[in-house]
Amino acid sequence: MPNAVHYVLTKAAHTANYSAAGKMSRIVLRYLLVEDDDGIRRAGREILEQVMEINQTREAAAKQRSRLLWRQLALGSLVALLAGTCKGLFGRWQQFIWALLVIESMEFYRYYTKVRPLLSLDRSSHLDRVYVKLQGIADFDSASCMLRAIGRYLHFRDFPQLGVPTSMAAAMPLVNWLPSSLRQTVYAAVGATEAVRDPSTFDAESVTKQVVAHFPAHRKYPAVAIGSSNGALTHLYAAMGIPWLPQTLLMPVKRPKKASIRHGQVDMTAEMEWGRTAAREMLEKNPEIELYHMADPNQDQLMIHRMAYFRLKLIKLTRAYRSYLLDALEANGTVIIVRSGISWPSTKVADRHYFQSGAVGGATPEEFLQGSPDVARFIESQKSPWSKMAETVLGTERRTDWRAPPPSTGEVIPEAEWGYAAGLTDDIVAFARDHGFQIKYLDFEQPEDASPLVANMYRQWNEQQLRRAGPTDSILVESFVLLEPWLAMRYNLSPYWSVFPVDPSLERLEKYLRRCQEARNAFRDGFLFLFCSGVDSVGLAGVDRWKGVLDGHFASSSSQDEENDNKQVARDKRARLVGTDEKVFPRDFGFPARYQRELARAVGPEAQYVMPPALLFAEFEQYMTRNGAHCRVVYQA
């Protein structure tokens, strides 16, 4: 029987976007050193059986969708005909859209039982068996998205739709046809479907078991990373071909609106008091976690009216994490502890329970705690006409801040989403010592400190892969959860990850590009992802500013080419925004369905390259030793 990996890649090459399945399989065989033993053959058979089952399910799903879409097309044509002949009945285009939605809703309801698995908002695994739902944990969050990205990469797959399979993806951009206020309501309502009613149902052991299920079984690695979430480092893990285990996960919790919403805005002191009671039982049941209850009324304005954000940090290794490390690490393997030192002025509520006012983004911690003219203007812009009328006519309180509780003093508290809780370190070190594993630390302060380091590493690495005789001077600027490790590698793109499309992130990108220009190593073209939060938040940087910074940099590369008498074929020097509709930013809610597809279309088939072998662990350590300190990233034993 042929080698299992070669067999699967040859018979089921569609499971990844390969351009040459045979070449890819030989690379995997050569560099992963997979041997033909009984365990590997058994694993190959299991994978192939799963692939065959996925094929059958996809064929059935395609037939169901085809029948449904034909019915929708017929109904749409009928509505268009009626609208054209009965102008007095419909009048405006909004009424036409509503009529169409009503008729199609009736059609959906009629065939609901038949198409329910395809339309489920529960992210059914019918469409993709690589997807693993984390019970009670948000899919639309940094940690879970980055986990899926690296998990899919290790399964030889790209990262469309943020790794969440849904047949509704094609319809997502249609939300942009709705009026702005209704569009925001739909976005918030869909987001609220992820919230749990009872946080005490959370079980750290069960959830971490689902975390490790994201990675391929029967595979050994020279290293496994564990710790802080970071988009740039996700690309580093992909280059090395190693897993990452998150310390922090987000559990959205349904919260009564009256518990913390005052005059249309969140009252963060009331939010904290509600969380004090709501989280007590969960913390008692899960002694291995710390809770960081976070409220960000700036960027998460649409979501926090319906739910609270409970960010859960592991401070002890669960049995699932321990078992996975024992199974996945090679003998004398390395555990890389990833530690972001970013902190936030938070309030200690109880033992292992903190409340964070605000979050990393365009507003500073001081603005969340004390307010500012920009915060006052933002709050005013978010008020409904009824709230404004009540202030004017009834003389109700005029809100200019979010009533944040005073932060605790004498304790450095890690930032809820990106920071590292130090309590986990001792447990990892003791575990590694008991089982003969090495410990290395990857330390940095700000989440974006690693972005220049990884972008430069990809550029240097691609240049060293002489068999990849393609350009290595294209940049992919990513944003929050919009990242694509597989395509960045396949298209020879240098990934630069930004936290959010806000002023501080744009300034850091501009600084990095300036350094590249000064080193006479400017990028010549590139692509841009921009995440949409749905509101014009404090510190938001518009599309024109992002494209302006990139276009100015690309123009400088042209002048360098002229000075060097560079005869390269001319390329498009503009920054290409992909996945986001510039006209409706930041209220484009169809971007999860488009970013990956539009990137592939923009690059084109002629710019696709055979995937390289994994970056050797020794090469990674050598690169980090030489370059980490220059980017304020420290790698040490």
Side-chain angles (χ1 to χ4, degrees):
M1 180 179 180
N3 181 284
V5 175
H6 183 277
Y7 187 60
V8 171
L9 292 178
T10 303
K11 298 293 184 181
H14 64 277
T15 58
N17 285 334
Y18 290 123
S19 56
K23 292 180 181 179
M24 293 298 300
S25 61
R26 287 194 295 273
I27 291 171
V28 173
L29 294 177
R30 186 179 301 119
Y31 293 101
L32 296 185
L33 301 177
V34 177
E35 299 178 356
D36 276 321
D37 55 25
D38 292 338
I40 292 297
R41 289 192 182 94
R42 188 164 54 253
R45 286 195 296 270
E46 291 174 1
I47 295 172
L48 186 58
E49 289 172 1
Q50 292 179 5
V51 168
M52 299 287 287
E53 188 176 349
I54 291 171
N55 283 344
Q56 295 173 358
T57 306
R58 282 176 172 167
E59 291 173 2
K63 292 179 181 179
Q64 288 276 28
R65 286 198 300 271
S66 178
R67 286 194 290 267
L68 182 63
L69 289 174
W70 276 111
R71 293 178 183 276
Q72 289 179 281
L73 181 62
L75 287 170
S77 301
L78 178 61
V79 171
L81 179 63
L82 292 174
T85 55
C86 305
K87 294 182 179 179
L89 176 63
F90 289 95
R92 297 178 300 174
W93 67 270
Q94 290 95 336
Q95 293 173 319
F96 165 75
I97 294 294
W98 274 112
L100 181 61
L101 288 175
V102 169
I103 293 179
E104 294 210 0
S105 297
M106 295 171 62
E107 182 73 3
F108 279 148
Y109 180 77
R110 181 181 176 186
Y111 292 95
Y112 178 69
T113 56
K114 295 181 180 180
V115 301
R116 182 178 178 181
L118 307 178
L119 305 179
S120 174
L121 291 177
D122 294 334
R123 283 71 168 174
S124 170
S125 61
H126 283 73
L127 301 179
D128 196 337
R129 290 303 175 93
V130 172
Y131 172 74
V132 179
K133 174 60 183 172
L134 301 176
Q135 294 302 318
I137 302 301
D139 274 335
F140 199 68
D141 182 55
S142 54
S144 51
C145 283
M146 293 166 190
L147 171 66
R148 288 195 301 274
I150 188 60
R152 290 181 64 85
Y153 183 91
L154 295 178
H155 278 285
F156 309 111
R157 301 194 183 201
D158 50 8
F159 191 57
Q161 301 167 207
L162 303 177
V164 179
T166 170
S167 61
M168 297 292 287
M172 291 173 67
L174 300 180
V175 177
N176 290 339
W177 292 9
L178 300 174
S180 179
S181 59
L182 184 57
R183 193 187 320 156
Q184 291 177 323
T185 301
V186 171
Y187 178 72
V190 172
T193 61
E194 293 200 294
V196 301
R197 295 187 180 277
D198 183 7
S200 67
T201 59
F202 174 81
D203 179 64
E205 190 62 52
S206 299
V207 171
T208 52
K209 188 178 296 183
Q210 293 162 354
V211 167
V212 300
H214 282 73
F215 305 115
H218 314 292
R219 193 181 297 182
K220 290 288 187 179
Y221 305 94
V224 172
I226 181 170
S228 298
S229 306
N230 191 277
L233 294 181
T234 301
H235 288 277
L236 187 61
Y237 310 144
M240 298 168 64
I242 65 171
W244 164 70
L245 304 178
Q247 180 192 39
T248 305
L249 295 168
L250 170 63
M251 180 171 66
V253 180
K254 292 186 184 296
R255 183 236 309 119
K257 189 173 182 179
K258 63 181 181 180
S260 62
I261 303 300
R262 305 285 188 272
H263 308 294
Q265 286 293 317
V266 65
D267 184 314
M268 289 199 280
T269 298
E271 171 91 353
M272 181 185 72
E273 293 303 326
W274 170 83
R276 186 191 302 272
T277 303
R280 186 175 295 127
E281 186 177 354
M282 178 190 67
L283 288 169
E284 291 174 353
K285 290 181 176 180
N286 296 273
E288 60 271 83
I289 67 169
E290 288 180 344
L291 167 61
Y292 294 76
H293 180 183
M294 188 188 84
D296 180 6
N298 184 31
Q299 295 177 131
D300 293 327
Q301 174 71 214
L302 298 182
M303 295 297 186
I304 61 174
H305 280 255
R306 297 171 178 264
M307 57 187 176
Y309 282 11
F310 281 11
R311 294 199 179 273
L312 312 173
K313 293 184 185 291
L314 291 171
I315 55 174
K316 298 289 183 182
L317 285 176
T318 61
R319 290 192 302 275
Y321 272 16
R322 290 171 179 268
S323 297
Y324 181 75
L325 290 171
L326 289 172
D327 181 63
L329 279 171
E330 297 173 351
N332 201 37
T334 302
V335 180
I336 303 174
I337 305 179
V338 182
R339 304 185 296 188
S340 172
I342 184 172
S343 60
W344 198 271
S346 303
T347 306
K348 185 168 184 177
V349 180
D351 184 38
R352 296 184 291 114
H353 185 178
Y354 303 91
F355 180 83
Q356 178 172 305
S357 302
V360 173
T364 65
E366 292 74 24
E367 286 182 297
F368 283 108
L369 294 171
Q370 303 164 12
S372 71
D374 287 341
V375 168
R377 282 191 291 271
F378 175 73
I379 292 176
E380 189 68 24
S381 70
Q382 298 300 306
K383 290 178 181 177
S384 67
W386 295 110
S387 297
K388 294 180 180 179
M389 183 182 298
E391 290 177 359
T392 303
V393 178
L394 303 178
T396 57
E397 177 188 6
R398 184 175 183 273
R399 295 285 302 279
T400 59
D401 60 29
W402 292 299
R403 292 195 66 236
S408 301
T409 59
E411 183 177 2
V412 178
I413 301 173
E415 198 278 333
E417 183 168 8
W418 310 106
Y420 177 80
L424 181 61
T425 302
D426 290 343
D427 209 34
I428 298 176
V429 171
F431 170 81
R433 184 173 56 246
D434 292 343
H435 295 90
F437 298 131
Q438 305 297 313
I439 289 289
K440 296 293 178 68
Y441 300 94
L442 205 164
D443 296 331
F444 52 94
E445 191 72 18
Q446 297 296 323
E448 289 168 327
D449 285 347
S451 297
L453 181 74
V454 173
N456 288 338
M457 189 216 73
Y458 263 66
R459 202 170 189 183
Q460 178 179 317
W461 186 40
N462 286 336
E463 289 171 354
Q464 291 173 350
Q465 302 295 324
L466 298 180
R467 62 188 182 81
R468 304 184 79 194
T472 58
D473 48 17
S474 297
I475 189 172
L476 172 62
V477 179
E478 300 173 324
S479 183
F480 190 43
V481 296
L482 295 182
L483 62 161
E484 233 308 351
W486 182 272
L487 293 190
M489 191 101 52
R490 190 181 178 199
Y491 295 158
N492 267 15
L493 302 176
S494 297
Y496 179 96
W497 176 74
S498 59
V499 176
F500 292 111
V502 293
D503 290 334
S505 295
L506 180 59
E507 291 168 3
R508 291 190 181 96
L509 171 64
E510 191 171 13
K511 184 177 180 180
Y512 168 66
L513 294 177
R514 191 182 305 118
R515 289 202 302 268
C516 292
Q517 184 178 343
E518 292 170 352
R520 305 187 67 78
N521 196 25
F523 292 96
R524 290 181 171 82
D525 60 13
F527 306 91
L528 174 64
F529 291 154
L530 286 180
F531 177 80
C532 293
S533 66
V535 292
D536 294 295
S537 57
V538 176
L540 181 71
V543 174
D544 290 341
R545 293 181 58 199
W546 284 91
K547 293 175 69 174
V549 167
L550 287 168
D551 289 343
H553 177 77
F554 299 152
S556 73
S557 75
S558 298
S559 62
Q560 289 181 11
D561 287 347
E562 292 174 3
E563 292 176 12
N564 298 332
D565 194 25
N566 195 323
K567 301 300 183 181
Q568 277 191 327
V569 177
R571 284 183 279 166
D572 189 349
K573 302 294 184 180
R574 296 172 299 168
R576 282 162 283 184
L577 176 67
V578 291
T580 300
D581 187 344
E582 185 173 350
K583 297 177 183 178
V584 294
F585 176 84
R587 296 176 179 83
D588 177 10
F589 302 130
F591 68 89
R594 293 195 306 256
Y595 74 96
Q596 191 263 1
R597 182 177 69 247
E598 290 189 8
L599 176 63
R601 186 183 302 125
V603 173
E606 68 281 355
Q608 300 177 14
Y609 302 91
V610 176
M611 298 291 282
L615 179 70
L616 297 178
F617 187 63
E619 294 176 340
F620 155 74
E621 291 198 310
Q622 185 179 44
Y623 178 83
M624 294 299 298
T625 301
R626 291 179 177 177
N627 302 281
H630 300 303
C631 298
R632 293 175 294 183
V633 178
V634 179
Y635 180 76
Q636 59 188 351

